[in-house]
mmCIF file with all atom_site columns, all heavy atoms in Angstrom:
data_model
loop_
_atom_site.group_PDB
_atom_site.id
_atom_site.type_symbol
_atom_site.label_atom_id
_atom_site.label_alt_id
_atom_site.label_comp_id
_atom_site.label_asym_id
_atom_site.label_entity_id
_atom_site.label_seq_id
_atom_site.pdbx_PDB_ins_code
_atom_site.Cartn_x
_atom_site.Cartn_y
_atom_site.Cartn_z
_atom_site.occupancy
_atom_site.B_iso_or_equiv
_atom_site.pdbx_formal_charge
_atom_site.auth_seq_id
_atom_site.auth_comp_id
_atom_site.auth_asym_id
_atom_site.auth_atom_id
_atom_site.pdbx_PDB_model_num
ATOM 1   N N   . GLU A 1 12  ? 243.713 247.054 223.016 1.00 61.00 ? 739  GLU A N   1
ATOM 2   C CA  . GLU A 1 12  ? 244.793 246.516 222.207 1.00 61.00 ? 739  GLU A CA  1
ATOM 3   C C   . GLU A 1 12  ? 244.434 246.523 220.732 1.00 61.00 ? 739  GLU A C   1
ATOM 4   O O   . GLU A 1 12  ? 245.271 246.626 219.868 1.00 61.00 ? 739  GLU A O   1
ATOM 5   C CB  . GLU A 1 12  ? 245.097 245.094 222.656 1.00 61.00 ? 739  GLU A CB  1
ATOM 6   C CG  . GLU A 1 12  ? 246.427 244.603 222.159 1.00 61.00 ? 739  GLU A CG  1
ATOM 7   C CD  . GLU A 1 12  ? 247.179 243.921 223.261 1.00 61.00 ? 739  GLU A CD  1
ATOM 8   O OE1 . GLU A 1 12  ? 247.849 244.601 224.041 1.00 61.00 ? 739  GLU A OE1 1
ATOM 9   O OE2 . GLU A 1 12  ? 247.069 242.709 223.356 1.00 61.00 ? 739  GLU A OE2 1
ATOM 10  N N   . ASP A 1 24  ? 241.788 248.413 241.066 1.00 85.00 ? 751  ASP A N   1
ATOM 11  C CA  . ASP A 1 24  ? 242.119 246.979 240.934 1.00 85.00 ? 751  ASP A CA  1
ATOM 12  C C   . ASP A 1 24  ? 242.829 246.701 239.612 1.00 85.00 ? 751  ASP A C   1
ATOM 13  O O   . ASP A 1 24  ? 243.814 245.956 239.559 1.00 85.00 ? 751  ASP A O   1
ATOM 14  C CB  . ASP A 1 24  ? 240.844 246.132 240.993 1.00 85.00 ? 751  ASP A CB  1
ATOM 15  C CG  . ASP A 1 24  ? 240.481 245.788 242.428 1.00 85.00 ? 751  ASP A CG  1
ATOM 16  O OD1 . ASP A 1 24  ? 241.407 245.751 243.260 1.00 85.00 ? 751  ASP A OD1 1
ATOM 17  O OD2 . ASP A 1 24  ? 239.278 245.572 242.691 1.00 85.00 ? 751  ASP A OD2 1
ATOM 18  N N   . GLU A 1 37  ? 259.327 241.942 234.294 1.00 85.00 ? 764  GLU A N   1
ATOM 19  C CA  . GLU A 1 37  ? 260.700 242.132 234.778 1.00 85.00 ? 764  GLU A CA  1
ATOM 20  C C   . GLU A 1 37  ? 261.262 240.820 235.324 1.00 85.00 ? 764  GLU A C   1
ATOM 21  O O   . GLU A 1 37  ? 262.450 240.530 235.159 1.00 85.00 ? 764  GLU A O   1
ATOM 22  C CB  . GLU A 1 37  ? 260.739 243.235 235.838 1.00 85.00 ? 764  GLU A CB  1
ATOM 23  C CG  . GLU A 1 37  ? 260.556 244.615 235.213 1.00 85.00 ? 764  GLU A CG  1
ATOM 24  C CD  . GLU A 1 37  ? 260.422 245.718 236.233 1.00 85.00 ? 764  GLU A CD  1
ATOM 25  O OE1 . GLU A 1 37  ? 260.113 245.425 237.403 1.00 85.00 ? 764  GLU A OE1 1
ATOM 26  O OE2 . GLU A 1 37  ? 260.605 246.880 235.852 1.00 85.00 ? 764  GLU A OE2 1
ATOM 27  N N   . ARG A 1 43  ? 265.950 235.762 231.508 1.00 84.00 ? 770  ARG A N   1
ATOM 28  C CA  . ARG A 1 43  ? 266.572 235.773 230.177 1.00 84.00 ? 770  ARG A CA  1
ATOM 29  C C   . ARG A 1 43  ? 267.932 236.455 230.176 1.00 84.00 ? 770  ARG A C   1
ATOM 30  O O   . ARG A 1 43  ? 268.737 236.244 229.277 1.00 84.00 ? 770  ARG A O   1
ATOM 31  C CB  . ARG A 1 43  ? 265.667 236.512 229.184 1.00 84.00 ? 770  ARG A CB  1
ATOM 32  C CG  . ARG A 1 43  ? 264.457 235.722 228.792 1.00 84.00 ? 770  ARG A CG  1
ATOM 33  C CD  . ARG A 1 43  ? 263.598 236.457 227.800 1.00 84.00 ? 770  ARG A CD  1
ATOM 34  N NE  . ARG A 1 43  ? 262.495 235.623 227.371 1.00 84.00 ? 770  ARG A NE  1
ATOM 35  C CZ  . ARG A 1 43  ? 262.549 234.755 226.366 1.00 84.00 ? 770  ARG A CZ  1
ATOM 36  N NH1 . ARG A 1 43  ? 263.645 234.629 225.668 1.00 84.00 ? 770  ARG A NH1 1
ATOM 37  N NH2 . ARG A 1 43  ? 261.511 234.016 226.045 1.00 84.00 ? 770  ARG A NH2 1
ATOM 38  N N   . GLY A 1 95  ? 269.281 237.874 222.390 1.00 89.00 ? 822  GLY A N   1
ATOM 39  C CA  . GLY A 1 95  ? 268.262 238.682 221.730 1.00 89.00 ? 822  GLY A CA  1
ATOM 40  C C   . GLY A 1 95  ? 267.980 239.962 222.500 1.00 89.00 ? 822  GLY A C   1
ATOM 41  O O   . GLY A 1 95  ? 266.971 240.628 222.283 1.00 89.00 ? 822  GLY A O   1
ATOM 42  N N   . GLY A 1 97  ? 269.841 243.622 224.315 1.00 83.00 ? 824  GLY A N   1
ATOM 43  C CA  . GLY A 1 97  ? 270.997 244.464 224.567 1.00 83.00 ? 824  GLY A CA  1
ATOM 44  C C   . GLY A 1 97  ? 271.306 244.379 226.050 1.00 83.00 ? 824  GLY A C   1
ATOM 45  O O   . GLY A 1 97  ? 270.543 243.812 226.835 1.00 83.00 ? 824  GLY A O   1
ATOM 46  N N   . MET A 1 98  ? 272.431 244.919 226.444 1.00 74.00 ? 825  MET A N   1
ATOM 47  C CA  . MET A 1 98  ? 272.762 244.910 227.871 1.00 74.00 ? 825  MET A CA  1
ATOM 48  C C   . MET A 1 98  ? 271.736 245.749 228.624 1.00 74.00 ? 825  MET A C   1
ATOM 49  O O   . MET A 1 98  ? 271.111 246.630 228.049 1.00 74.00 ? 825  MET A O   1
ATOM 50  C CB  . MET A 1 98  ? 274.156 245.510 228.099 1.00 74.00 ? 825  MET A CB  1
ATOM 51  C CG  . MET A 1 98  ? 275.272 244.714 227.456 1.00 74.00 ? 825  MET A CG  1
ATOM 52  S SD  . MET A 1 98  ? 275.487 243.071 228.172 1.00 74.00 ? 825  MET A SD  1
ATOM 53  C CE  . MET A 1 98  ? 276.513 243.444 229.579 1.00 74.00 ? 825  MET A CE  1
ATOM 54  N N   . ASN A 1 100 ? 270.212 248.599 230.622 1.00 68.00 ? 827  ASN A N   1
ATOM 55  C CA  . ASN A 1 100 ? 270.610 250.002 230.782 1.00 68.00 ? 827  ASN A CA  1
ATOM 56  C C   . ASN A 1 100 ? 270.394 250.457 232.221 1.00 68.00 ? 827  ASN A C   1
ATOM 57  O O   . ASN A 1 100 ? 270.406 251.635 232.511 1.00 68.00 ? 827  ASN A O   1
ATOM 58  C CB  . ASN A 1 100 ? 269.851 250.899 229.794 1.00 68.00 ? 827  ASN A CB  1
ATOM 59  C CG  . ASN A 1 100 ? 268.368 250.707 229.894 1.00 68.00 ? 827  ASN A CG  1
ATOM 60  O OD1 . ASN A 1 100 ? 267.877 250.185 230.898 1.00 68.00 ? 827  ASN A OD1 1
ATOM 61  N ND2 . ASN A 1 100 ? 267.641 251.107 228.876 1.00 68.00 ? 827  ASN A ND2 1
ATOM 62  N N   . VAL A 1 163 ? 261.118 245.774 240.244 1.00 63.00 ? 890  VAL A N   1
ATOM 63  C CA  . VAL A 1 163 ? 261.864 246.939 240.703 1.00 63.00 ? 890  VAL A CA  1
ATOM 64  C C   . VAL A 1 163 ? 261.080 247.612 241.818 1.00 63.00 ? 890  VAL A C   1
ATOM 65  O O   . VAL A 1 163 ? 261.550 248.512 242.486 1.00 63.00 ? 890  VAL A O   1
ATOM 66  C CB  . VAL A 1 163 ? 262.165 247.887 239.530 1.00 63.00 ? 890  VAL A CB  1
ATOM 67  C CG1 . VAL A 1 163 ? 263.053 249.032 239.944 1.00 63.00 ? 890  VAL A CG1 1
ATOM 68  C CG2 . VAL A 1 163 ? 262.863 247.099 238.427 1.00 63.00 ? 890  VAL A CG2 1
ATOM 69  N N   . ARG A 1 165 ? 259.551 248.134 245.421 1.00 34.00 ? 892  ARG A N   1
ATOM 70  C CA  . ARG A 1 165 ? 260.045 247.829 246.771 1.00 34.00 ? 892  ARG A CA  1
ATOM 71  C C   . ARG A 1 165 ? 258.894 247.857 247.743 1.00 34.00 ? 892  ARG A C   1
ATOM 72  O O   . ARG A 1 165 ? 257.978 248.585 247.594 1.00 34.00 ? 892  ARG A O   1
ATOM 73  C CB  . ARG A 1 165 ? 261.075 248.871 247.215 1.00 34.00 ? 892  ARG A CB  1
ATOM 74  C CG  . ARG A 1 165 ? 262.358 248.746 246.465 1.00 34.00 ? 892  ARG A CG  1
ATOM 75  C CD  . ARG A 1 165 ? 263.295 249.859 246.875 1.00 34.00 ? 892  ARG A CD  1
ATOM 76  N NE  . ARG A 1 165 ? 264.408 249.941 245.946 1.00 34.00 ? 892  ARG A NE  1
ATOM 77  C CZ  . ARG A 1 165 ? 265.062 251.074 245.702 1.00 34.00 ? 892  ARG A CZ  1
ATOM 78  N NH1 . ARG A 1 165 ? 264.718 252.187 246.259 1.00 34.00 ? 892  ARG A NH1 1
ATOM 79  N NH2 . ARG A 1 165 ? 266.061 251.080 244.881 1.00 34.00 ? 892  ARG A NH2 1
ATOM 80  N N   . HIS B 2 12  ? 248.755 251.530 227.673 1.00 90.00 ? 1257 HIS B N   1
ATOM 81  C CA  . HIS B 2 12  ? 248.087 250.725 228.699 1.00 90.00 ? 1257 HIS B CA  1
ATOM 82  C C   . HIS B 2 12  ? 247.653 249.338 228.213 1.00 90.00 ? 1257 HIS B C   1
ATOM 83  O O   . HIS B 2 12  ? 247.517 248.413 229.013 1.00 90.00 ? 1257 HIS B O   1
ATOM 84  C CB  . HIS B 2 12  ? 246.879 251.472 229.263 1.00 90.00 ? 1257 HIS B CB  1
ATOM 85  C CG  . HIS B 2 12  ? 246.300 250.788 230.473 1.00 90.00 ? 1257 HIS B CG  1
ATOM 86  N ND1 . HIS B 2 12  ? 247.012 250.649 231.646 1.00 90.00 ? 1257 HIS B ND1 1
ATOM 87  C CD2 . HIS B 2 12  ? 245.120 250.166 230.667 1.00 90.00 ? 1257 HIS B CD2 1
ATOM 88  C CE1 . HIS B 2 12  ? 246.278 249.986 232.518 1.00 90.00 ? 1257 HIS B CE1 1
ATOM 89  N NE2 . HIS B 2 12  ? 245.130 249.676 231.956 1.00 90.00 ? 1257 HIS B NE2 1
ATOM 90  N N   . ASN B 2 15  ? 249.786 243.998 226.053 1.00 93.00 ? 1260 ASN B N   1
ATOM 91  C CA  . ASN B 2 15  ? 251.019 243.619 225.352 1.00 93.00 ? 1260 ASN B CA  1
ATOM 92  C C   . ASN B 2 15  ? 251.934 244.813 225.113 1.00 93.00 ? 1260 ASN B C   1
ATOM 93  O O   . ASN B 2 15  ? 253.151 244.696 225.176 1.00 93.00 ? 1260 ASN B O   1
ATOM 94  C CB  . ASN B 2 15  ? 250.693 242.911 224.030 1.00 93.00 ? 1260 ASN B CB  1
ATOM 95  C CG  . ASN B 2 15  ? 250.260 241.479 224.274 1.00 93.00 ? 1260 ASN B CG  1
ATOM 96  O OD1 . ASN B 2 15  ? 250.778 240.814 225.179 1.00 93.00 ? 1260 ASN B OD1 1
ATOM 97  N ND2 . ASN B 2 15  ? 249.312 240.994 223.491 1.00 93.00 ? 1260 ASN B ND2 1
ATOM 98  N N   . THR B 2 25  ? 264.093 248.411 230.269 1.00 85.00 ? 1270 THR B N   1
ATOM 99  C CA  . THR B 2 25  ? 265.137 247.813 231.107 1.00 85.00 ? 1270 THR B CA  1
ATOM 100 C C   . THR B 2 25  ? 266.391 247.456 230.328 1.00 85.00 ? 1270 THR B C   1
ATOM 101 O O   . THR B 2 25  ? 267.477 247.427 230.893 1.00 85.00 ? 1270 THR B O   1
ATOM 102 C CB  . THR B 2 25  ? 264.575 246.542 231.802 1.00 85.00 ? 1270 THR B CB  1
ATOM 103 O OG1 . THR B 2 25  ? 263.383 246.905 232.489 1.00 85.00 ? 1270 THR B OG1 1
ATOM 104 C CG2 . THR B 2 25  ? 265.552 245.965 232.787 1.00 85.00 ? 1270 THR B CG2 1
ATOM 105 N N   . THR B 2 27  ? 268.802 247.984 226.611 1.00 85.00 ? 1272 THR B N   1
ATOM 106 C CA  . THR B 2 27  ? 269.057 248.998 225.588 1.00 85.00 ? 1272 THR B CA  1
ATOM 107 C C   . THR B 2 27  ? 268.280 248.697 224.304 1.00 85.00 ? 1272 THR B C   1
ATOM 108 O O   . THR B 2 27  ? 267.822 249.611 223.632 1.00 85.00 ? 1272 THR B O   1
ATOM 109 C CB  . THR B 2 27  ? 270.562 249.057 225.260 1.00 85.00 ? 1272 THR B CB  1
ATOM 110 O OG1 . THR B 2 27  ? 271.019 247.728 224.997 1.00 85.00 ? 1272 THR B OG1 1
ATOM 111 C CG2 . THR B 2 27  ? 271.354 249.637 226.413 1.00 85.00 ? 1272 THR B CG2 1
ATOM 112 N N   . THR B 2 28  ? 268.127 247.406 224.000 1.00 90.00 ? 1273 THR B N   1
ATOM 113 C CA  . THR B 2 28  ? 267.422 247.026 222.775 1.00 90.00 ? 1273 THR B CA  1
ATOM 114 C C   . THR B 2 28  ? 266.999 245.557 222.888 1.00 90.00 ? 1273 THR B C   1
ATOM 115 O O   . THR B 2 28  ? 267.538 244.820 223.713 1.00 90.00 ? 1273 THR B O   1
ATOM 116 C CB  . THR B 2 28  ? 268.330 247.246 221.529 1.00 90.00 ? 1273 THR B CB  1
ATOM 117 O OG1 . THR B 2 28  ? 267.601 246.949 220.344 1.00 90.00 ? 1273 THR B OG1 1
ATOM 118 C CG2 . THR B 2 28  ? 269.570 246.384 221.587 1.00 90.00 ? 1273 THR B CG2 1
ATOM 119 N N   . GLU B 2 30  ? 265.502 242.016 220.457 1.00 94.00 ? 1275 GLU B N   1
ATOM 120 C CA  . GLU B 2 30  ? 265.229 241.458 219.132 1.00 94.00 ? 1275 GLU B CA  1
ATOM 121 C C   . GLU B 2 30  ? 263.755 241.056 219.061 1.00 94.00 ? 1275 GLU B C   1
ATOM 122 O O   . GLU B 2 30  ? 263.152 240.651 220.070 1.00 94.00 ? 1275 GLU B O   1
ATOM 123 C CB  . GLU B 2 30  ? 266.160 240.258 218.923 1.00 94.00 ? 1275 GLU B CB  1
ATOM 124 C CG  . GLU B 2 30  ? 266.320 239.828 217.481 1.00 94.00 ? 1275 GLU B CG  1
ATOM 125 C CD  . GLU B 2 30  ? 265.396 238.685 217.136 1.00 94.00 ? 1275 GLU B CD  1
ATOM 126 O OE1 . GLU B 2 30  ? 265.296 237.755 217.945 1.00 94.00 ? 1275 GLU B OE1 1
ATOM 127 O OE2 . GLU B 2 30  ? 264.757 238.735 216.062 1.00 94.00 ? 1275 GLU B OE2 1
ATOM 128 N N   . THR B 2 37  ? 258.858 236.322 224.835 1.00 90.00 ? 1282 THR B N   1
ATOM 129 C CA  . THR B 2 37  ? 258.610 236.787 226.203 1.00 90.00 ? 1282 THR B CA  1
ATOM 130 C C   . THR B 2 37  ? 257.133 237.101 226.407 1.00 90.00 ? 1282 THR B C   1
ATOM 131 O O   . THR B 2 37  ? 256.566 236.832 227.465 1.00 90.00 ? 1282 THR B O   1
ATOM 132 C CB  . THR B 2 37  ? 259.473 238.030 226.513 1.00 90.00 ? 1282 THR B CB  1
ATOM 133 O OG1 . THR B 2 37  ? 260.822 237.758 226.139 1.00 90.00 ? 1282 THR B OG1 1
ATOM 134 C CG2 . THR B 2 37  ? 259.443 238.375 227.987 1.00 90.00 ? 1282 THR B CG2 1
ATOM 135 N N   . LYS B 2 47  ? 251.923 243.756 215.134 1.00 96.00 ? 1292 LYS B N   1
ATOM 136 C CA  . LYS B 2 47  ? 250.860 244.757 215.176 1.00 96.00 ? 1292 LYS B CA  1
ATOM 137 C C   . LYS B 2 47  ? 251.099 245.755 216.324 1.00 96.00 ? 1292 LYS B C   1
ATOM 138 O O   . LYS B 2 47  ? 250.971 246.969 216.152 1.00 96.00 ? 1292 LYS B O   1
ATOM 139 C CB  . LYS B 2 47  ? 249.514 244.052 215.350 1.00 96.00 ? 1292 LYS B CB  1
ATOM 140 C CG  . LYS B 2 47  ? 248.340 244.996 215.355 1.00 96.00 ? 1292 LYS B CG  1
ATOM 141 C CD  . LYS B 2 47  ? 247.046 244.234 215.543 1.00 96.00 ? 1292 LYS B CD  1
ATOM 142 C CE  . LYS B 2 47  ? 245.888 245.204 215.685 1.00 96.00 ? 1292 LYS B CE  1
ATOM 143 N NZ  . LYS B 2 47  ? 244.644 244.510 216.002 1.00 96.00 ? 1292 LYS B NZ  1
ATOM 144 N N   . ILE B 2 98  ? 243.554 251.846 246.659 1.00 56.00 ? 1343 ILE B N   1
ATOM 145 C CA  . ILE B 2 98  ? 243.121 250.690 247.448 1.00 56.00 ? 1343 ILE B CA  1
ATOM 146 C C   . ILE B 2 98  ? 244.286 250.011 248.136 1.00 56.00 ? 1343 ILE B C   1
ATOM 147 O O   . ILE B 2 98  ? 244.127 249.011 248.783 1.00 56.00 ? 1343 ILE B O   1
ATOM 148 C CB  . ILE B 2 98  ? 242.416 249.641 246.561 1.00 56.00 ? 1343 ILE B CB  1
ATOM 149 C CG1 . ILE B 2 98  ? 243.351 249.203 245.439 1.00 56.00 ? 1343 ILE B CG1 1
ATOM 150 C CG2 . ILE B 2 98  ? 241.102 250.144 246.056 1.00 56.00 ? 1343 ILE B CG2 1
ATOM 151 C CD1 . ILE B 2 98  ? 242.889 247.939 244.771 1.00 56.00 ? 1343 ILE B CD1 1
ATOM 152 N N   . TYR B 2 104 ? 255.491 251.529 243.472 1.00 47.00 ? 1349 TYR B N   1
ATOM 153 C CA  . TYR B 2 104 ? 256.223 250.972 242.345 1.00 47.00 ? 1349 TYR B CA  1
ATOM 154 C C   . TYR B 2 104 ? 257.259 251.981 241.916 1.00 47.00 ? 1349 TYR B C   1
ATOM 155 O O   . TYR B 2 104 ? 256.941 253.094 241.516 1.00 47.00 ? 1349 TYR B O   1
ATOM 156 C CB  . TYR B 2 104 ? 255.287 250.665 241.184 1.00 47.00 ? 1349 TYR B CB  1
ATOM 157 C CG  . TYR B 2 104 ? 256.009 249.872 240.140 1.00 47.00 ? 1349 TYR B CG  1
ATOM 158 C CD1 . TYR B 2 104 ? 256.012 248.490 240.200 1.00 47.00 ? 1349 TYR B CD1 1
ATOM 159 C CD2 . TYR B 2 104 ? 256.770 250.501 239.164 1.00 47.00 ? 1349 TYR B CD2 1
ATOM 160 C CE1 . TYR B 2 104 ? 256.709 247.757 239.283 1.00 47.00 ? 1349 TYR B CE1 1
ATOM 161 C CE2 . TYR B 2 104 ? 257.479 249.760 238.266 1.00 47.00 ? 1349 TYR B CE2 1
ATOM 162 C CZ  . TYR B 2 104 ? 257.444 248.400 238.315 1.00 47.00 ? 1349 TYR B CZ  1
ATOM 163 O OH  . TYR B 2 104 ? 258.153 247.657 237.426 1.00 47.00 ? 1349 TYR B OH  1
ATOM 164 N N   . GLU B 2 105 ? 258.498 251.591 242.034 1.00 48.00 ? 1350 GLU B N   1
ATOM 165 C CA  . GLU B 2 105 ? 259.570 252.522 241.672 1.00 48.00 ? 1350 GLU B CA  1
ATOM 166 C C   . GLU B 2 105 ? 260.249 252.029 240.426 1.00 48.00 ? 1350 GLU B C   1
ATOM 167 O O   . GLU B 2 105 ? 260.733 250.912 240.369 1.00 48.00 ? 1350 GLU B O   1
ATOM 168 C CB  . GLU B 2 105 ? 260.575 252.569 242.816 1.00 48.00 ? 1350 GLU B CB  1
ATOM 169 C CG  . GLU B 2 105 ? 261.706 253.541 242.566 1.00 48.00 ? 1350 GLU B CG  1
ATOM 170 C CD  . GLU B 2 105 ? 262.660 253.515 243.728 1.00 48.00 ? 1350 GLU B CD  1
ATOM 171 O OE1 . GLU B 2 105 ? 262.249 253.930 244.831 1.00 48.00 ? 1350 GLU B OE1 1
ATOM 172 O OE2 . GLU B 2 105 ? 263.791 253.053 243.541 1.00 48.00 ? 1350 GLU B OE2 1
#
Side-chain angles (χ1 to χ4, degrees):
Chain A
E739 196 135 275
D751 273 334
E764 287 173 341
R770 286 181 176 273
M825 296 294 276
N827 54 19
V890 186
R892 289 176 193 152
Chain B
H1257 190 64
N1260 283 324
T1270 306
T1272 50
T1273 184
E1275 198 263 316
T1282 311
K1292 182 181 174 186
I1343 57 165
Y1349 190 90
E1350 182 181 294

